[in-house]
Amino acid sequence: MTTGRELALRPGSTRFDPEDQAWHDQVATLYAALREEVETVGRSDAPAAGYKGAVEATLLAVGSSGALTAAVACFKAWLARDRTRTLTVTWTDSTGAEQRFHVTGDNIDLQTLTKALERDS
């Protein structure tokens, strides 16, 4: 079981421009669902390879296996609504190494997604 893990989320889409209002509305829907289910969502600007300046990320603190399960369910539901959606999830494991995975609307596997987030190394 994972406790106290902070996940950085970066939603994406191959269909929408990042500045498109329709895209902003879709992302807001994801964040609202996460706030309702997990109750802890914050924002951070962090430097990222391949980007000029900082890239905004949404931070989600997952303090229990129940919160992790709720977060994964939100990810899956949001991704399933449009196969052009993507989600990149990044976290630091117990050794201090950054872990990351990228999932799309057409490669969702709830069991694999959950195992990736529960894994501690």
Side-chain angles (χ1 to χ4, degrees), residues 4-114:
R5 176 164 292 164
E6 185 175 271
L7 308 176
L9 312 175
R10 288 201 182 103
S13 173
T14 58
R15 180 175 165 198
F16 292 96
D17 182 275
E19 299 305 318
D20 188 320
Q21 185 58 48
W23 174 244
H24 286 277
D25 294 345
Q26 291 181 36
V27 172
T29 300
L30 170 63
Y31 296 158
L34 287 168
R35 273 192 291 281
E36 183 177 309
E37 294 297 324
V38 185
E39 298 181 16
T40 306
V41 177
R43 307 225 22 145
S44 173
D45 291 330
Y51 292 90
K52 288 185 178 180
V55 174
E56 185 176 276
T58 297
L59 302 178
L60 179 64
V62 181
S64 69
S65 61
L68 178 62
T69 300
V72 168
C74 286
F75 298 164
K76 184 175 191 284
W78 186 78
L79 288 164
R81 290 189 187 122
D82 180 346
R83 295 197 179 276
T84 69
R85 292 178 180 184
T86 65
L87 187 62
T88 302
V89 181
T90 308
W91 70 95
T92 303
D93 69 16
S94 62
T95 68
E98 182 177 277
Q99 300 294 323
R100 172 183 312 217
F101 69 85
H102 182 78
V103 64
T104 65
D106 61 357
N107 72 355
I108 302 166
D109 176 346
L110 187 59
Q111 185 175 13
T112 302
L113 185 59
T114 302

